[in-house]
Amino acid sequence: MRLVVTGGGGFLGQMVARRLLRAETLLVHTATGEAHRKPSELLLVDIQKPDSFLFRELDDRAVFRQGDVSDAAFARSLFEDHTQPRSLLHPGV
């Protein structure tokens, strides 16, 4: 399952990302009910990339995309050409 974390360059986004990377499986809500899915890809998205991530495992296992999710074309590009299930997470402000 592909996970997209908006605000992924900030403190809360990186904390959420680290927790997701450490999860064996995640309980997700689907159109047909609940299911346990293993995270396969973690995409961190933010307007600006931090100079360095807070956790080394983010450097090794996450992909960072710089852009503004209020730009419709950029937001769509985050989900194009992916047939696997995906989830969008936005840590609270």
Side-chain angles (χ1 to χ4, degrees), residues 62-83:
V63 174
F64 186 87
R65 290 260 324 260
Q66 185 170 340
D68 186 349
V69 294
S70 68
D71 174 352
F74 175 74
R76 273 193 304 275
S77 76
L78 299 174
F79 298 98
E80 291 175 347
D81 300 325
H82 293 278
T83 57

Side-chain angles (χ1 to χ4, degrees), residues 28-48:
V28 295
H29 299 278
T30 68
T32 59
E34 295 180 339
H36 288 275
R37 300 260 168 84
K38 181 178 176 91
S40 59
E41 181 183 0
L42 183 61
L43 178 62
L44 306 179
V45 180
D46 214 324
I47 291 176
Q48 185 172 346

